[in-house]
Amino acid sequence: MVAVSKKDAVDKNKDQSSENDAEHILNLSNKLLSKLTSSFLTDQVKNPEKVTALLAERNKLTDVPIEVIDFVNLESINLSYNCLKTFPSVVCELVCLREIVLVGCAIQVLPLELENLIFLEKLVLDLNQLRKIGDSLYGVNSLTTLSLGMNYFSVFFALLPQQVRKLNLDNNHLTCFPDSILDLPNLQCLNLSFNRIQEIPYEIDVLQKLEQFLIVKNRLSALPSTICNLKKLKLLDISNNHIEVLPGNFSNLEVLEELNLVNNPIIQPPRHICDHGIDAIKAFQDCLKKQLYEPCNRALKVFILGSSRSGKSDLFNFLSGQTESAAGDSNPKPASCNKAGAKKFTQYATNTIDNLNSELRKEEIRERLNFVLQIARKELLAMRQIFQKSQQKLSTSFVLRYFPRQILFSTFRVMNST
């Protein structure tokens, strides 16, 4: 009897395991093949029913032969960087497939027969010539990962299975956020980077399972406040856009771990706050909100932007609770006139911002302006109490300053008074 050491037994098991893996994987990559003939496939593998993965990337294939259908248990196929101009029809007959990778071909259309692949979980079609999808993937109910980067989509209208969790549409020509994405309740990762999208829809918060959202280098000028309702969001990359103001409710993103704001002209929160990361932004915004509800006992300056006769004095009087009797009128004007002045100023400020940056939406401007006005009113009332106790007058000229070429939210701010 020949003694077998434990080490020899382990090595033997490893060799058998590697032989089985080699038998299950047919690797034909980088062989400059122009055809896959039946005789060639027969020479390469004796038991096609045992093959579970076919790797044939970086060849010169123009088609896939019908003999591939003999791989009845094939679960993964990679035909990337070949000369395929159409999606191989025989692939749709391999009903056990779970993964298809066709990167760097010249495919323009997807066949409806893809719905035969009821077990397909991952479909990667980057770097092709696709312009539309339609409903060719709607019946692939097991699909969880779909990558369509570097194609030619200018509009993306597609009926996708609701089980999709990862969707990549980077490096296309999209000019608007695809509405069909909002019909994917299980979406966890979304990549829309390097497109031409100008705004994110207000309804983005329907994607309650979204964890990663990348929309790098687009044409965004603002973010909807509803993006802060994505309770599971961990990564938000909005770098290389035109965003100036962040939503004021970032503290709602409790699990957000990474926020990339690089190459955005951020003015609110201030840049030095944003440079310290998401925790600093949350703390800054929480501090602003706190000022709305807690009394303030410090003297402050409020800078107000506006041209001549735009209603700045009326706005000041309205915020501080004063009337216009100080101007020499024996009959002070009622509060309604002051409110009208405030409304006039608000409308002027809105129009001014529209002229400076036409991509900002009016409703968002008014929302942010009202937020700042609430802070200013609270602080001015505190100022008046302080001045009344010291028997000093609160002068209108004390709070009015002019900043003609800057956006309102960077100039209409509350600052410590020395």
Side-chain angles (χ1 to χ4, degrees):
M1 179 180 293
V2 179
V4 179
S5 66
K6 185 176 181 180
K7 182 177 181 301
D8 292 338
V10 171
D11 292 341
K12 185 176 181 180
N13 289 334
K14 287 183 177 180
D15 292 340
Q16 289 178 350
S17 176
S18 57
E19 287 178 4
N20 291 334
D21 290 341
E23 187 176 3
H24 293 164
I25 299 175
L26 177 57
N27 191 345
L28 303 175
S29 302
N30 297 292
K31 294 185 181 297
L32 301 179
L33 300 173
S34 58
K35 288 185 178 181
L36 290 179
T37 62
S38 58
S39 58
F40 176 80
L41 292 174
T42 303
D43 292 339
Q44 294 294 319
V45 59
K46 296 179 180 179
N47 299 311
E49 67 278 359
K50 291 185 178 182
V51 176
T52 59
L54 172 60
L55 308 178
E57 68 265 32
R58 299 189 184 279
N59 285 289
K60 298 181 179 180
L61 300 176
T62 58
D63 198 4
V64 179
I66 191 65
E67 286 78 12
V68 173
I69 203 171
D70 293 335
F71 302 135
V72 293
N73 294 312
L74 199 65
E75 297 182 0
S76 175
I77 185 169
N78 189 335
L79 300 171
S80 299
Y81 300 104
N82 279 283
C83 302
L84 302 170
K85 294 184 178 180
T86 59
F87 194 97
S89 58
V90 67
V91 172
C92 298
E93 304 296 326
L94 301 170
V95 294
C96 291
L97 277 176
R98 296 181 181 273
E99 179 184 54
I100 298 176
V101 182
L102 286 168
V103 177
C105 298
I107 297 172
Q108 299 181 13
V109 180
L110 296 184
L112 294 175
E113 289 77 15
L114 277 171
E115 64 181 12
N116 297 334
L117 305 178
I118 58 176
F119 299 111
L120 186 65
E121 299 174 357
K122 182 177 181 179
L123 179 59
V124 181
L125 296 170
D126 298 337
L127 201 59
N128 279 282
Q129 298 178 11
L130 294 169
R131 285 180 168 82
K132 62 180 181 179
I133 293 293
D135 57 356
S136 54
L137 297 175
Y138 185 68
V140 189
N141 294 323
S142 297
L143 190 65
T144 59
T145 300
L146 177 60
S147 186
L148 299 169
M150 291 177 282
N151 277 279
Y152 296 112
F153 294 105
S154 57
V155 176
F156 185 77
F157 176 76
L159 293 174
L160 301 178
Q162 293 194 344
Q163 296 304 315
V164 172
R165 298 175 188 173
K166 296 181 180 181
L167 177 60
N168 176 32
L169 285 167
D170 71 330
N171 286 280
N172 278 280
H173 306 294
L174 298 174
T175 57
C176 61
F177 189 99
D179 291 338
S180 55
I181 292 178
L182 301 177
D183 296 325
L184 302 175
N186 296 298
L187 194 63
Q188 297 177 357
C189 180
L190 175 60
N191 189 348
L192 294 173
S193 300
F194 300 97
N195 281 285
R196 304 169 187 173
I197 298 172
Q198 298 183 16
E199 63 178 2
I200 299 173
Y202 188 82
E203 299 81 6
I204 187 68
D205 58 349
V206 300
L207 304 176
Q208 280 297 304
K209 294 186 178 181
L210 194 62
E211 297 180 2
Q212 299 181 3
F213 186 18
L214 298 91
I215 188 163
V216 178
K217 200 170 178 59
N218 276 266
R219 298 179 181 178
L220 300 177
S221 59
L223 294 176
S225 59
T226 50
I227 199 171
C228 298
N229 297 334
L230 300 173
K231 301 296 184 181
K232 294 187 177 182
L233 193 64
K234 297 180 180 179
L235 167 64
L236 178 60
D237 193 340
I238 52 175
S239 57
N240 294 280
N241 279 282
H242 311 297
I243 298 171
E244 297 181 338
V245 179
L246 296 181
N249 51 345
F250 255 75
S251 57
N252 293 348
L253 298 173
E254 298 177 354
V255 299
L256 187 65
E257 299 173 353
E258 185 175 350
L259 173 64
N260 192 347
L261 300 172
V262 174
N263 291 331
N264 277 287
I266 299 291
I267 59 175
Q268 185 69 12
R271 169 56 66 180
H272 70 277
I273 297 292
C274 296
D275 289 343
H276 284 81
I278 180 63
D279 291 336
I281 293 173
K282 290 180 179 180
F284 175 81
Q285 293 182 342
D286 288 342
C287 182
L288 284 183
K289 291 178 182 178
K290 192 176 181 180
Q291 292 178 14
L292 294 178
Y293 304 105
E294 294 186 1
C296 177
N297 294 317
R298 64 183 187 276
L300 299 168
K301 289 182 180 180
V302 178
F303 293 170
I304 301 177
L305 167 69
S307 64
S308 177
R309 303 185 65 81
S310 64
K312 297 185 301 297
S313 297
D314 285 339
L315 174 63
F316 168 78
N317 292 333
F318 167 66
L319 291 174
S320 61
Q322 294 185 16
T323 63
E324 294 190 351
S325 58
D329 191 349
S330 59
N331 298 316
K333 294 182 179 180
S336 60
C337 292
N338 293 328
K339 290 182 179 179
K343 181 177 180 182
K344 179 181 178 182
F345 174 83
T346 302
Q347 184 63 41
Y348 169 79
T350 302
N351 293 337
T352 300
I353 296 171
D354 283 344
N355 292 333
L356 292 176
N357 191 342
S358 60
E359 294 183 357
L360 284 174
R361 295 188 298 182
K362 286 188 177 182
E363 60 270 18
E364 293 183 354
I365 293 171
R366 290 194 180 95
E367 179 182 347
R368 296 171 194 153
L369 177 60
N370 289 333
F371 179 74
V372 178
L373 286 177
Q374 291 180 60
I375 297 176
R377 181 178 177 83
K378 193 77 175 180
E379 302 294 0
L380 281 170
L381 290 174
M383 285 175 63
R384 186 175 63 165
Q385 293 175 2
I386 294 172
F387 273 77
Q388 285 176 345
K389 289 181 181 179
S390 61
Q391 296 183 347
Q392 298 182 40
K393 292 184 179 180
L394 183 60
S395 170
T396 302
S397 61
F398 178 74
V399 297
L400 293 184
R401 299 291 185 272
Y402 296 90
F403 295 88
R405 286 297 297 171
Q406 297 183 35
I407 292 180
L408 181 68
F409 306 112
S410 65
T411 59
F412 187 10
R413 60 185 183 269
V414 179
M415 301 183 66
N416 288 325
S417 175
T418 56

